[in-house]
Amino acid sequence: MTRRTIATCLNFVLPGAGLWYLSHPAMGFVNLLIAIAAPVIGLLLFPEHAHYALLAVAAGSAGFAHAFSTHKTKKENREAANDSSLVPR
């Protein structure tokens, strides 16, 4: 499995864990705080639909980790391509 897939799975199980796995613990902690706050606010405002908030937070958190790792991978690939073009042949 790729790091992106592992991060996505980790974030789906525990919001923020995938970002922590990708060496971004501060972003992971913020993600966890948002994931805790969103369902609590949803429960207070719409108690009959609170379970949807939990599912939305889990899916959104996993999607965020996947998007973050994809962006990071593309950036690293661009930097590697630029560095390799400077090497004389």
Side-chain angles (χ1 to χ4, degrees), residues 10-48:
L10 286 172
N11 247 37
F12 192 77
V13 174
L14 178 67
L19 294 169
W20 193 287
Y21 172 74
L22 293 172
S23 302
H24 294 280
M27 288 182 69
F29 184 70
V30 169
N31 192 336
L32 179 63
L33 290 179
I34 292 170
I36 291 170
V40 169
I41 293 169
L43 181 62
L44 293 174
L45 296 176
F46 309 103
E48 64 277 0

Side-chain angles (χ1 to χ4, degrees), residues 73-87 89:
T73 302
K74 287 181 180 178
K75 183 178 177 183
E76 289 170 353
N77 289 343
R78 280 194 305 267
E79 289 172 357
N82 288 340
D83 289 345
S84 65
S85 65
L86 299 176
V87 176
R89 294 181 185 191

